Amino acid sequence: MPVMHVLIVIPVPERAQMVPRTHDTLAALGQHAGMMGQNTMIDDYNKRPKTRRVRAGFGISTEAEVKLPDVVQHSNGINKPGVMTLESEFGLKVSVAMLNVSAFEKDCWRYREIYIHSKLMLVDDVFMTLGSANLNQRSMAVDSEINIATIDRRVARDLRKRVWRMHSGGLVDGGGGTKGEIVDAFEKWGNLMKANRTKKLAKQGGAKLKKMIGFLLPLEDSRSSTIRLG
């Protein structure tokens, strides 16, 4: 089976109650490491005693099961494949990024998320859809949304190159979309995300060290919630 390279760019959830669904979706793709807060919370709940002593009356106590929050139970039931399993069994290599902009202001470098509400999906330079609809049943069948779609290869290819160049500061566009070019683009995309994160976290440095190339960063979220929104 040929490997499918999947490049996902998503915003950080607007509210903490949106974190569980994002975490669960990424977990199914083995890409939930960046949801640090939710991972820590789930691990903490799973490490707690499974039972607790409760009074049953007349000085008698008994063991009662401690029920985990529904969000934690659901996450525990998700198959979370590792990178090697994802590639060998499902033929997928997945990258998840968020977008930040960097600028020098008032004697320090500042970084701010770029929040884009429109949804874009490009598939193999043969299909693209762009609009307000999320890629789920509710958006596609119930909510009032609007999307455009086309199977024109020229439109899909040109848009892929333009968007990838925009995100990567002109370093990555996938060329003609051949297998070798996509493999190379996926590797460069991942390396750029890591390099930009290093720049952002560096304590000191001039413009060359702190200024990001493009806008790509690994998705990271330190929040957690036992309440699932929607």
Side-chain angles (χ1 to χ4, degrees):
M1 178 186 300
V3 174
M4 177 182 290
H5 294 79
V6 182
L7 299 173
I8 301 171
V9 180
I10 60 175
V12 172
E14 290 182 86
R15 298 167 58 182
Q17 293 82 2
M18 296 178 178
V19 168
R21 289 199 181 277
T22 302
H23 175 272
D24 293 347
T25 300
L26 296 181
L29 295 171
Q31 299 294 314
H32 58 297
M35 309 294 290
M36 300 89 70
Q38 194 73 0
N39 290 332
T40 299
M41 183 202 72
I42 292 170
D43 289 343
D44 287 346
Y45 268 107
N46 287 329
K47 290 175 182 176
R48 296 179 185 181
K50 301 299 185 290
T51 61
R52 62 184 177 91
R53 298 199 69 81
V54 296
R55 295 183 63 181
F58 303 103
I60 301 173
S61 62
T62 184
E63 293 286 329
E65 181 182 0
V66 176
K67 186 178 180 181
L68 295 171
D70 290 341
V71 163
V72 177
Q73 292 185 54
H74 182 76
S75 177
N76 288 342
I78 296 174
N79 177 30
K80 305 176 180 69
V83 174
M84 296 300 294
T85 300
L86 196 68
E87 182 175 353
S88 61
E89 295 189 13
F90 300 98
L92 291 174
K93 295 191 75 168
V94 183
S95 170
V96 181
M98 62 181 181
L99 301 177
N100 269 209
V101 64
S102 61
F104 190 77
E105 180 185 359
K106 296 181 180 179
D107 301 325
C108 68
W109 279 93
R110 299 181 184 276
Y111 302 83
R112 184 173 182 177
E113 183 184 13
I114 302 171
Y115 189 90
I116 300 175
H117 187 263
S118 62
K119 287 78 178 181
L120 169 66
M121 181 170 66
L122 294 156
V123 182
D124 291 348
D125 287 356
V126 297
F127 173 80
M128 64 78 62
T129 179
L130 171 67
S132 63
N134 293 313
L135 302 177
N136 58 31
Q137 185 174 358
R138 174 176 164 175
S139 270
M140 293 295 180
V142 180
D143 293 342
S144 297
E145 308 283 1
I146 186 168
N147 272 48
I148 59 172
T150 182
I151 55 173
D152 189 312
R153 289 176 175 267
R154 295 168 300 175
V155 173
R157 183 193 63 232
D158 292 347
L159 184 58
R160 181 258 299 168
K161 295 174 71 173
R162 182 153 58 94
V163 170
W164 285 15
R165 282 197 299 262
M166 184 186 303
H167 288 350
S168 67
L171 296 183
V172 179
D173 69 6
T178 64
K179 180 179 179 180
E181 287 172 313
I182 295 302
V183 170
D184 181 63
F186 186 89
E187 182 177 354
K188 288 180 178 177
W189 188 278
N191 290 339
L192 180 57
M193 288 166 53
K194 295 174 184 176
N196 280 338
R197 184 177 186 274
T198 298
K199 292 173 182 288
K200 181 178 179 179
L201 296 179
K203 299 298 183 183
Q204 297 178 340
K208 289 185 178 180
L209 177 61
K210 293 289 291 179
K211 182 176 176 58
M212 293 170 47
I213 298 175
F215 309 108
L216 295 170
L217 283 171
L219 179 69
E220 293 181 335
D221 195 332
S222 60
R223 296 170 300 167
S224 65
S225 176
T226 56
I227 299 173
R228 185 186 295 110
L229 186 66

